[in-house]
Amino acid sequence: MDLRISRKHQARLDFVEGLKVHVAGQLMPSLRQEFENWCATETPSEDQLRDSQFMETTLGSNPLYQTSRGLQRLSQEAMWQEVIYGLEEQKPKIEDQLNTQEESKGSLTLDPDLKMPDYYDDTEFHLQPGNFHKNTLAGPIYELGVATYTMHRYGKAGDEMGRALVSVLPDHPYKRVLYMGCGPAYKGYPLIDALPDAQHWGIDLAEPMLKFAQHRATEHEKPMHFSQMNAENMTFPDGHFDLVYCMLLLHEVPTKAVENIVNEAARVLAPGGVLANLELPSYDSLDPLSAFLMDWDTEHNGEPFWRDYHNMDLQQTYRDADLEAHLTDAHSEWGGAKGNYMGKFRYHVTMGRKPEV
Amino acid sequence: MREAHGATSDYFSDVSKSDIMRVILALATEVYEMRDRQNVLETILSDSEIDLGRLDEKVEAAVYDQERLTERDAFVARVFAAMTNPNR
């Protein structure tokens, strides 16, 4: 599927991306320098710097802070607007492709009776209009939007997160692999490449995402079975998978849903199987300014569960599900090279293993 | 130097937001007129059988075209210069 848009729309989207690059590359380093200069003079304590109220009071009226936050928010709104305008021109053609089942080594199973959780129905993640399930073009909109959102630092294939996860996967004879919250699933292609003899499954709540995922996987010859399912209540039998993974899923759900998903993952894992959750880093692993800037997304960038996720003890949640748990980290091309508006970072991977019987 | 010449003064601190919006609205109107004239120019060129296909061709993002990328980043830097360096 050709997701290029016409020149006039791409020019408008290029401008919006340029704005994001400007915020990340010019405004944020200047703000960081001002903040560090202030810290050197005022010497706030670590506790103060980790207190969001203190940081808001310190930075809230700073012109650079206000400009960077305002432009970050407005550029996000403009990004989705321009992506949708650009793709709308091709809507009939894209829909036709999505509704055409082509022969593939994978499959697609939809459940039209699946009820969307209230938290999901009421949210537009990353401010994406219609969220992932209310627009038939949600998949292409997501792919084009996220490429702009991350300033193309995911690479052309958009799969750097999957490559990061592959780099830290423990050795194990993985026969069946499950990607929870797969969305368009291209981030999972590196796992298909790394584990070519395994059977790969992807589940998601959103029908538009799954239809796009299936179409895309067929085009790219990545055999994957897609099923519309809620990760909190999966229909797979006990012990069905050797590897269950997710990437940037758990911060999109309420704490209770995280617990349900981990419990379900533990249930469908075979003895010795692995649960791997790749996420952005915890607040306490970042410097105070980066942590404060990352927290901004909770209220202002369609990430309502972000703060609660970062405040929970996920390893304990794993242990409560009778999984052995530890934390590792993986290199991020997105967060490693030039940083994002919240600074440079590495991915955190919470690894769990189901004990052998 | 900047302070001595009053450059850090907030000249517009008491200017009403409504009046600033009126200026923005006037600017948007001018831009719309420019677009309309450009549309007329494109029609004239098209009627003269000059191929305008490149205006609407599908293209990749500027990040993959160094010339467009350089032009874009310079444009953004110029437009937002005042807000990027408020303390210069």
Side-chain angles (χ1 to χ4, degrees), chain A residues 16-309:
Chain A
V16 173
E17 183 172 340
L19 199 49
K20 288 182 176 291
V21 170
H22 190 76
V23 169
Q26 303 297 324
L27 284 166
M28 296 318 301
S30 296
L31 176 64
R32 188 171 290 278
Q33 188 59 64
E34 267 194 27
F35 180 70
E36 287 171 0
N37 292 345
W38 180 86
C39 287
T41 309
E42 302 298 321
T43 60
S45 69
E46 181 75 11
D47 283 349
Q48 285 177 311
L49 293 175
R50 295 287 176 186
D51 181 330
S52 58
Q53 294 273 43
F54 175 83
M55 292 292 274
E56 184 62 42
T57 303
T58 302
L59 287 168
S61 59
N62 179 295
L64 269 179
Y65 176 76
Q66 286 188 5
T67 299
S68 76
R69 298 302 87 212
L71 290 181
Q72 186 66 30
R73 169 69 190 219
L74 295 186
S75 66
Q76 191 75 350
E77 292 175 4
M79 176 190 82
W80 292 122
Q81 178 179 281
E82 299 305 334
V83 164
I84 289 169
Y85 283 162
L87 288 174
E88 279 285 328
E89 279 183 345
Q90 310 170 56
K91 186 168 180 175
K93 184 177 173 185
I94 294 176
E95 282 180 335
D96 188 53
Q97 288 179 284
L98 290 174
N99 291 328
T100 304
Q101 283 281 348
E102 293 187 20
E103 203 176 305
S104 83
K105 292 182 183 171
S107 64
L108 172 63
T109 307
L110 297 175
D111 180 0
D113 295 326
L114 183 65
K115 186 181 180 311
M116 299 295 107
D118 290 341
Y119 75 79
Y120 188 82
D121 221 14
D122 295 341
T123 302
E124 290 184 333
F125 293 104
H126 320 125
L127 309 182
Q128 180 170 338
N131 200 25
F132 305 142
H133 64 298
K134 295 178 183 172
N135 188 325
T136 53
L137 264 54
I141 289 168
Y142 176 92
E143 179 165 349
L144 201 55
V146 167
T148 307
Y149 178 13
T150 57
M151 299 169 281
H152 285 86
R153 289 171 187 173
Y154 271 175
K156 222 167 186 180
D159 64 353
E160 65 98 55
M161 217 172 281
R163 286 186 277 113
L165 185 57
V166 165
S167 75
V168 297
L169 267 186
D171 286 332
H172 188 74
Y174 300 112
K175 295 193 293 293
R176 269 199 216 98
V177 177
L178 173 63
Y179 181 3
M180 297 191 295
C182 65
Y186 51 82
K187 292 181 206 148
Y189 291 177
L191 283 99
I192 297 175
D193 293 342
L195 306 170
D197 297 327
Q199 189 185 66
H200 290 264
W201 284 81
I203 64 167
D204 203 276
L205 284 167
E207 176 183 318
M209 282 290 198
L210 288 166
K211 287 171 83 165
F212 179 57
Q214 164 67 355
H215 178 89
R216 209 184 182 288
T218 302
E219 271 186 335
H220 288 79
E221 296 180 356
K222 304 293 180 190
M224 198 162 187
H225 299 284
F226 295 100
S227 186
Q228 188 177 12
M229 219 180 273
N230 187 337
E232 293 184 71
N233 185 22
M234 295 188 274
T235 59
F236 298 115
D238 296 359
H240 194 65
F241 292 101
D242 308 292
L243 170 63
V244 176
Y245 70 93
C246 53
M247 296 185 275
L248 303 193
L249 168 67
L250 297 186
H251 75 249
E252 309 286 23
V253 306
T255 303
K256 186 59 190 159
V258 173
E259 294 168 356
N260 292 342
I261 289 169
V262 169
N263 286 333
E264 270 290 272
R267 180 183 69 76
V268 303
L269 272 175
V274 171
L275 170 61
N277 168 51
L278 182 144
E279 266 292 347
L280 293 180
S282 58
Y283 287 177
D284 57 15
S285 68
L286 296 171
D287 65 270
L289 179 61
S290 296
F292 177 64
L293 292 170
M294 198 163 84
D295 185 67
W296 177 89
D297 278 41
T298 307
E299 270 93 28
H300 303 287
N301 197 35
E303 299 278 16
F305 311 111
W306 180 281
R307 182 177 300 138
D308 286 347
Y309 170 78

Side-chain angles (χ1 to χ4, degrees), chain A residues 2 4-8 10 12 14-15 17-19 21-22 26-27 30 34 63-64 67 71 90 152 155-156, chain B residues 35 54-65 68 72-73 75-77 79-81 83-87:
Chain A
D2 184 358
R4 290 178 305 160
I5 54 180
S6 66
R7 183 153 193 146
K8 66 184 180 196
Q10 187 59 55
R12 296 166 72 96
D14 285 340
F15 172 75
E17 183 172 340
L19 199 49
V21 170
H22 190 76
Q26 303 297 324
L27 284 166
S30 296
E34 267 194 27
L64 269 179
T67 299
L71 290 181
Q90 310 170 56
H152 285 86
K156 222 167 186 180
Chain B
R35 287 172 66 93
R54 287 187 61 189
L55 283 175
D56 292 323
E57 66 185 356
K58 285 188 178 184
V59 290
E60 291 196 305
V63 73
Y64 301 115
D65 181 333
R68 279 166 57 207
R72 178 198 79 182
D73 289 348
F75 177 84
V76 171
V79 170
F80 289 95
M83 294 173 92
T84 303
N85 299 295
N87 300 317

